[in-house]
Amino acid sequence: MQSRRIGEVQVSAIGLGGMPMSIEGRPDEERSVSTIHAALDAGITLFDTADAYHIHADEVGHNESLIARALASYGGDTSDVLIATKGGHLRPGDGSWTVDGSAAYVKKACDASLERLGVEAIGLYQFHRPDPAVPYAESVGAIRDLLDAGKIRMAGISNADPAQIVEANEILGGRLVSVQNQFSPAFLSSTAELELCDQLGIAFLPWSPLGGIGRAGGLGGGFAEVAERYGVSPQRVCLAWHVSKSPVVIPIPGASRPATIQDSAAASSFELTASDLALLP
């Protein structure tokens, strides 16, 4: 497994997104735990989660708790694992997604995540999504306060535009280490954010890097052509394409089956040639 950097921490070049294991259509816990263990066996050390990855209103933090239990039951060393979680997005339990970027809520959410993860400080805490009703400076200011208080070791943001990336980095005193935005062959509108992160040396974590839940199998065109050339999956080619974009890119594909994350992990060492890349976006 190749490694990349978030802040001063080295992590696997491919992470695991935990959302499919906790929202609608999720598998039973045994399969989810097996998936997390398979990721660890494959050398994955970055696990992305959020308190909003759940279904019912009475199970906030379902995915955080699941990952914590899976890590605790793993037989090997997990000391180099970085858990990245998020706060500021909510699921009332009726299938909808809402936001609360108030400083009070963000700090309360962080405290709850700390308890669920069972850690003294969260490795990477990210403001999940801007709240139109709250000044961005207030939301990111809460993240700064958590960083200063030692409740989180590193700070990131998600679903941000270039201006918000610059503003967040200023508020955090140059300590912004990651930006997590949607980015995939079917969703290239975060290209400007990726390029800005590359310039600033900030990790860029594409969410839904394969196109989203249920759409990963639809990778065709150049991805299918390159995959056939090497006898690998189009999904592996897609993740290798992500990694080739910049040294700051660390895709976090979601998975809920061991075989899926094993295939994704293999993309870390799959190098695309110039002729391969000419066929891709």
Side-chain angles (χ1 to χ4, degrees):
M1 172 63 70
Q2 303 296 313
S3 66
R4 295 205 158 176
R5 182 178 59 82
I6 298 180
E8 299 302 318
V9 178
Q10 292 293 125
V11 299
S12 54
I14 305 290
L16 170 62
M19 187 172 77
M21 292 182 272
S22 290
I23 64 166
E24 289 80 357
R26 67 192 182 199
D28 59 57
E29 182 162 326
E30 182 179 359
R31 195 177 92 190
S32 292
V33 170
S34 294
T35 300
I36 294 167
H37 287 179
L40 291 164
D41 288 342
I44 288 178
T45 59
L46 173 63
F47 292 82
D48 181 78
T49 182
D51 58 358
Y53 295 165
H54 63 91
I55 300 175
H56 308 293
D58 61 352
E59 57 170 18
V60 175
H62 178 278
N63 194 248
E64 292 176 321
S65 299
L66 172 65
I67 288 176
R69 288 194 297 272
L71 290 176
S73 65
Y74 184 64
D77 182 16
T78 59
S79 61
D80 59 348
V81 167
L82 175 65
I83 298 179
T85 192
K86 300 178 286 291
H89 218 352
L90 301 86
R91 299 204 75 190
D94 58 2
S96 67
W97 296 75
T98 61
V99 291
D100 187 343
S102 65
Y105 177 78
V106 171
K107 292 178 180 180
K108 177 182 176 182
C110 178
D111 285 340
S113 292
L114 273 167
E115 184 173 348
R116 283 188 291 267
L117 293 171
V119 295
E120 293 182 0
I122 293 171
L124 173 60
Y125 195 69
Q126 305 153 100
F127 178 48
H128 203 154
R129 185 176 290 274
D131 182 349
V134 177
Y136 199 62
E138 177 183 334
S139 303
V140 178
I143 302 293
R144 176 200 59 216
D145 293 346
L146 292 168
L147 190 59
D148 290 342
K151 292 188 175 183
I152 65 176
R153 293 196 170 94
M154 296 188 292
I157 55 176
S158 184
N159 301 298
D161 62 31
Q164 290 168 332
I165 294 172
V166 172
E167 182 181 4
N169 200 33
E170 290 176 349
I171 293 168
L172 290 165
R175 294 177 293 172
L176 179 68
V177 301
S178 67
V179 173
Q180 183 178 147
N181 275 20
Q182 184 177 12
F183 187 81
S184 69
F187 193 93
L188 297 169
S189 62
S190 284
T191 298
E193 289 83 355
L194 189 162
E195 292 174 347
L196 178 58
C197 286
D198 182 67
Q199 294 168 17
L200 298 174
I202 294 171
F204 184 82
L205 315 179
W207 61 265
S208 290
L210 301 175
I213 296 174
R215 299 187 182 92
L219 287 167
F223 292 97
E225 184 176 340
V226 173
E228 185 175 359
R229 179 184 300 172
Y230 292 103
V232 300
S233 69
Q235 292 75 29
R236 190 181 303 187
V237 174
C238 181
L239 293 172
W241 167 80
H242 276 282
V243 171
S244 74
K245 288 286 182 183
S246 163
V248 304
V249 176
I250 307 171
I252 46 173
S256 61
R257 297 178 184 275
T260 304
I261 195 58
Q262 288 165 346
D263 184 65
S264 293
S268 140
S269 55
F270 182 66
E271 294 188 13
L272 298 168
T273 67
S275 60
D276 296 332
L277 291 170
L279 298 172
L280 308 176

PDB file of all heavy atoms in Angstrom, residues 7-29:
ATOM      1  N   GLY A   7      -1.801  16.420   6.810  1.00  0.00           N
ATOM      2  CA  GLY A   7      -1.055  17.130   7.835  1.00  0.00           C
ATOM      3  C   GLY A   7       0.320  16.511   7.956  1.00  0.00           C
ATOM      4  O   GLY A   7       1.045  16.380   6.975  1.00  0.00           O
ATOM      5  N   GLU A   8       0.679  16.093   9.164  1.00  0.00           N
ATOM      6  CA  GLU A   8       1.963  15.426   9.389  1.00  0.00           C
ATOM      7  C   GLU A   8       1.810  13.912   9.514  1.00  0.00           C
ATOM      8  O   GLU A   8       2.744  13.219   9.887  1.00  0.00           O
ATOM      9  CB  GLU A   8       2.621  15.988  10.660  1.00  0.00           C
ATOM     10  CG  GLU A   8       2.920  17.476  10.601  1.00  0.00           C
ATOM     11  CD  GLU A   8       3.830  17.824   9.427  1.00  0.00           C
ATOM     12  OE1 GLU A   8       4.797  17.061   9.176  1.00  0.00           O
ATOM     13  OE2 GLU A   8       3.578  18.847   8.753  1.00  0.00           O
ATOM     14  N   VAL A   9       0.625  13.419   9.191  1.00  0.00           N
ATOM     15  CA  VAL A   9       0.330  11.997   9.361  1.00  0.00           C
ATOM     16  C   VAL A   9       0.368  11.273   8.016  1.00  0.00           C
ATOM     17  O   VAL A   9      -0.245  11.726   7.045  1.00  0.00           O
ATOM     18  CB  VAL A   9      -1.047  11.808  10.020  1.00  0.00           C
ATOM     19  CG1 VAL A   9      -1.385  10.324  10.155  1.00  0.00           C
ATOM     20  CG2 VAL A   9      -1.089  12.482  11.386  1.00  0.00           C
ATOM     21  N   GLN A  10       1.067  10.163   7.964  1.00  0.00           N
ATOM     22  CA  GLN A  10       1.087   9.328   6.773  1.00  0.00           C
ATOM     23  C   GLN A  10      -0.081   8.348   6.832  1.00  0.00           C
ATOM     24  O   GLN A  10      -0.291   7.675   7.848  1.00  0.00           O
ATOM     25  CB  GLN A  10       2.406   8.544   6.685  1.00  0.00           C
ATOM     26  CG  GLN A  10       3.624   9.410   6.434  1.00  0.00           C
ATOM     27  CD  GLN A  10       3.629  10.049   5.064  1.00  0.00           C
ATOM     28  OE1 GLN A  10       3.730  11.277   4.924  1.00  0.00           O
ATOM     29  NE2 GLN A  10       3.513   9.237   4.039  1.00  0.00           N
ATOM     30  N   VAL A  11      -0.840   8.292   5.749  1.00  0.00           N
ATOM     31  CA  VAL A  11      -1.977   7.371   5.669  1.00  0.00           C
ATOM     32  C   VAL A  11      -1.907   6.622   4.345  1.00  0.00           C
ATOM     33  O   VAL A  11      -1.156   6.992   3.442  1.00  0.00           O
ATOM     34  CB  VAL A  11      -3.328   8.107   5.772  1.00  0.00           C
ATOM     35  CG1 VAL A  11      -3.462   8.820   7.096  1.00  0.00           C
ATOM     36  CG2 VAL A  11      -3.514   9.083   4.602  1.00  0.00           C
ATOM     37  N   SER A  12      -2.699   5.585   4.222  1.00  0.00           N
ATOM     38  CA  SER A  12      -2.764   4.844   2.970  1.00  0.00           C
ATOM     39  C   SER A  12      -3.284   5.743   1.850  1.00  0.00           C
ATOM     40  O   SER A  12      -4.088   6.643   2.079  1.00  0.00           O
ATOM     41  CB  SER A  12      -3.683   3.631   3.138  1.00  0.00           C
ATOM     42  OG  SER A  12      -4.956   4.016   3.637  1.00  0.00           O
ATOM     43  N   ALA A  13      -2.814   5.495   0.633  1.00  0.00           N
ATOM     44  CA  ALA A  13      -3.207   6.318  -0.506  1.00  0.00           C
ATOM     45  C   ALA A  13      -4.663   6.107  -0.905  1.00  0.00           C
ATOM     46  O   ALA A  13      -5.236   6.915  -1.647  1.00  0.00           O
ATOM     47  CB  ALA A  13      -2.296   6.034  -1.703  1.00  0.00           C
ATOM     48  N   ILE A  14      -5.260   5.041  -0.421  1.00  0.00           N
ATOM     49  CA  ILE A  14      -6.687   4.767  -0.602  1.00  0.00           C
ATOM     50  C   ILE A  14      -7.297   4.615   0.783  1.00  0.00           C
ATOM     51  O   ILE A  14      -6.761   3.894   1.629  1.00  0.00           O
ATOM     52  CB  ILE A  14      -6.930   3.471  -1.401  1.00  0.00           C
ATOM     53  CG1 ILE A  14      -6.197   3.486  -2.750  1.00  0.00           C
ATOM     54  CG2 ILE A  14      -8.431   3.225  -1.585  1.00  0.00           C
ATOM     55  CD1 ILE A  14      -6.759   4.451  -3.765  1.00  0.00           C
ATOM     56  N   GLY A  15      -8.407   5.307   1.025  1.00  0.00           N
ATOM     57  CA  GLY A  15      -9.102   5.172   2.299  1.00  0.00           C
ATOM     58  C   GLY A  15     -10.365   4.351   2.144  1.00  0.00           C
ATOM     59  O   GLY A  15     -10.684   3.872   1.048  1.00  0.00           O
ATOM     60  N   LEU A  16     -11.087   4.184   3.225  1.00  0.00           N
ATOM     61  CA  LEU A  16     -12.381   3.493   3.201  1.00  0.00           C
ATOM     62  C   LEU A  16     -13.450   4.438   3.699  1.00  0.00           C
ATOM     63  O   LEU A  16     -13.348   4.970   4.820  1.00  0.00           O
ATOM     64  CB  LEU A  16     -12.354   2.241   4.078  1.00  0.00           C
ATOM     65  CG  LEU A  16     -13.721   1.561   4.321  1.00  0.00           C
ATOM     66  CD1 LEU A  16     -14.323   1.079   3.008  1.00  0.00           C
ATOM     67  CD2 LEU A  16     -13.590   0.398   5.302  1.00  0.00           C
ATOM     68  N   GLY A  17     -14.476   4.647   2.884  1.00  0.00           N
ATOM     69  CA  GLY A  17     -15.626   5.443   3.284  1.00  0.00           C
ATOM     70  C   GLY A  17     -16.667   4.547   3.931  1.00  0.00           C
ATOM     71  O   GLY A  17     -17.103   3.552   3.340  1.00  0.00           O
ATOM     72  N   GLY A  18     -17.081   4.884   5.139  1.00  0.00           N
ATOM     73  CA  GLY A  18     -17.956   4.001   5.900  1.00  0.00           C
ATOM     74  C   GLY A  18     -19.446   4.165   5.658  1.00  0.00           C
ATOM     75  O   GLY A  18     -20.233   3.348   6.127  1.00  0.00           O
ATOM     76  N   MET A  19     -19.866   5.189   4.920  1.00  0.00           N
ATOM     77  CA  MET A  19     -21.290   5.489   4.813  1.00  0.00           C
ATOM     78  C   MET A  19     -22.149   4.317   4.351  1.00  0.00           C
ATOM     79  O   MET A  19     -23.222   4.080   4.930  1.00  0.00           O
ATOM     80  CB  MET A  19     -21.517   6.702   3.901  1.00  0.00           C
ATOM     81  CG  MET A  19     -22.960   7.169   3.885  1.00  0.00           C
ATOM     82  SD  MET A  19     -23.218   8.741   3.014  1.00  0.00           S
ATOM     83  CE  MET A  19     -23.124   8.186   1.314  1.00  0.00           C
ATOM     84  N   PRO A  20     -21.773   3.520   3.320  1.00  0.00           N
ATOM     85  CA  PRO A  20     -22.654   2.442   2.868  1.00  0.00           C
ATOM     86  C   PRO A  20     -22.955   1.394   3.928  1.00  0.00           C
ATOM     87  O   PRO A  20     -23.929   0.650   3.799  1.00  0.00           O
ATOM     88  CB  PRO A  20     -21.873   1.822   1.695  1.00  0.00           C
ATOM     89  CG  PRO A  20     -20.942   2.888   1.236  1.00  0.00           C
ATOM     90  CD  PRO A  20     -20.563   3.635   2.483  1.00  0.00           C
ATOM     91  N   MET A  21     -22.140   1.342   4.973  1.00  0.00           N
ATOM     92  CA  MET A  21     -22.357   0.344   6.017  1.00  0.00           C
ATOM     93  C   MET A  21     -23.374   0.790   7.061  1.00  0.00           C
ATOM     94  O   MET A  21     -23.703   0.013   7.968  1.00  0.00           O
ATOM     95  CB  MET A  21     -21.027   0.011   6.705  1.00  0.00           C
ATOM     96  CG  MET A  21     -20.051  -0.712   5.803  1.00  0.00           C
ATOM     97  SD  MET A  21     -18.496  -1.148   6.615  1.00  0.00           S
ATOM     98  CE  MET A  21     -17.533   0.334   6.334  1.00  0.00           C
ATOM     99  N   SER A  22     -23.884   2.034   6.921  1.00  0.00           N
ATOM    100  CA  SER A  22     -24.761   2.536   7.981  1.00  0.00           C
ATOM    101  C   SER A  22     -26.030   3.228   7.503  1.00  0.00           C
ATOM    102  O   SER A  22     -26.907   3.490   8.316  1.00  0.00           O
ATOM    103  CB  SER A  22     -23.980   3.515   8.874  1.00  0.00           C
ATOM    104  OG  SER A  22     -23.016   2.827   9.640  1.00  0.00           O
ATOM    105  N   ILE A  23     -26.137   3.530   6.208  1.00  0.00           N
ATOM    106  CA  ILE A  23     -27.368   4.185   5.749  1.00  0.00           C
ATOM    107  C   ILE A  23     -28.284   3.153   5.097  1.00  0.00           C
ATOM    108  O   ILE A  23     -28.095   1.943   5.250  1.00  0.00           O
ATOM    109  CB  ILE A  23     -27.061   5.359   4.802  1.00  0.00           C
ATOM    110  CG1 ILE A  23     -26.388   4.867   3.510  1.00  0.00           C
ATOM    111  CG2 ILE A  23     -26.179   6.389   5.496  1.00  0.00           C
ATOM    112  CD1 ILE A  23     -26.361   5.917   2.415  1.00  0.00           C
ATOM    113  N   GLU A  24     -29.292   3.617   4.374  1.00  0.00           N
ATOM    114  CA  GLU A  24     -30.254   2.731   3.729  1.00  0.00           C
ATOM    115  C   GLU A  24     -29.549   1.663   2.886  1.00  0.00           C
ATOM    116  O   GLU A  24     -28.596   1.958   2.168  1.00  0.00           O
ATOM    117  CB  GLU A  24     -31.212   3.539   2.848  1.00  0.00           C
ATOM    118  CG  GLU A  24     -32.196   4.391   3.622  1.00  0.00           C
ATOM    119  CD  GLU A  24     -31.640   5.703   4.151  1.00  0.00           C
ATOM    120  OE1 GLU A  24     -30.429   5.970   3.972  1.00  0.00           O
ATOM    121  OE2 GLU A  24     -32.414   6.477   4.748  1.00  0.00           O
ATOM    122  N   GLY A  25     -30.025   0.423   3.010  1.00  0.00           N
ATOM    123  CA  GLY A  25     -29.430  -0.675   2.263  1.00  0.00           C
ATOM    124  C   GLY A  25     -28.204  -1.270   2.915  1.00  0.00           C
ATOM    125  O   GLY A  25     -27.514  -2.099   2.303  1.00  0.00           O
ATOM    126  N   ARG A  26     -27.954  -0.890   4.154  1.00  0.00           N
ATOM    127  CA  ARG A  26     -26.732  -1.369   4.810  1.00  0.00           C
ATOM    128  C   ARG A  26     -26.791  -2.870   5.083  1.00  0.00           C
ATOM    129  O   ARG A  26     -27.876  -3.436   5.270  1.00  0.00           O
ATOM    130  CB  ARG A  26     -26.520  -0.619   6.120  1.00  0.00           C
ATOM    131  CG  ARG A  26     -27.537  -0.896   7.212  1.00  0.00           C
ATOM    132  CD  ARG A  26     -27.378   0.121   8.338  1.00  0.00           C
ATOM    133  NE  ARG A  26     -28.284  -0.125   9.437  1.00  0.00           N
ATOM    134  CZ  ARG A  26     -28.598   0.805  10.352  1.00  0.00           C
ATOM    135  NH1 ARG A  26     -28.065   2.006  10.280  1.00  0.00           N
ATOM    136  NH2 ARG A  26     -29.421   0.521  11.339  1.00  0.00           N
ATOM    137  N   PRO A  27     -25.625  -3.510   5.116  1.00  0.00           N
ATOM    138  CA  PRO A  27     -25.579  -4.946   5.400  1.00  0.00           C
ATOM    139  C   PRO A  27     -25.667  -5.217   6.893  1.00  0.00           C
ATOM    140  O   PRO A  27     -25.716  -4.272   7.700  1.00  0.00           O
ATOM    141  CB  PRO A  27     -24.197  -5.345   4.870  1.00  0.00           C
ATOM    142  CG  PRO A  27     -23.365  -4.120   5.126  1.00  0.00           C
ATOM    143  CD  PRO A  27     -24.294  -2.950   4.859  1.00  0.00           C
ATOM    144  N   ASP A  28     -25.649  -6.493   7.265  1.00  0.00           N
ATOM    145  CA  ASP A  28     -25.616  -6.815   8.688  1.00  0.00           C
ATOM    146  C   ASP A  28     -24.232  -6.465   9.228  1.00  0.00           C
ATOM    147  O   ASP A  28     -23.260  -6.303   8.487  1.00  0.00           O
ATOM    148  CB  ASP A  28     -25.949  -8.278   8.937  1.00  0.00           C
ATOM    149  CG  ASP A  28     -24.984  -9.235   8.241  1.00  0.00           C
ATOM    150  OD1 ASP A  28     -23.762  -9.160   8.479  1.00  0.00           O
ATOM    151  OD2 ASP A  28     -25.462 -10.057   7.441  1.00  0.00           O
ATOM    152  N   GLU A  29     -24.151  -6.344  10.548  1.00  0.00           N
ATOM    153  CA  GLU A  29     -22.906  -5.884  11.169  1.00  0.00           C
ATOM    154  C   GLU A  29     -21.747  -6.829  10.914  1.00  0.00           C
ATOM    155  O   GLU A  29     -20.604  -6.391  10.743  1.00  0.00           O
ATOM    156  CB  GLU A  29     -23.099  -5.664  12.668  1.00  0.00           C
ATOM    157  CG  GLU A  29     -21.827  -5.143  13.343  1.00  0.00           C
ATOM    158  CD  GLU A  29     -22.072  -4.499  14.694  1.00  0.00           C
ATOM    159  OE1 GLU A  29     -23.130  -3.856  14.886  1.00  0.00           O
ATOM    160  OE2 GLU A  29     -21.190  -4.629  15.551  1.00  0.00           O
TER     161      GLU A  29
END
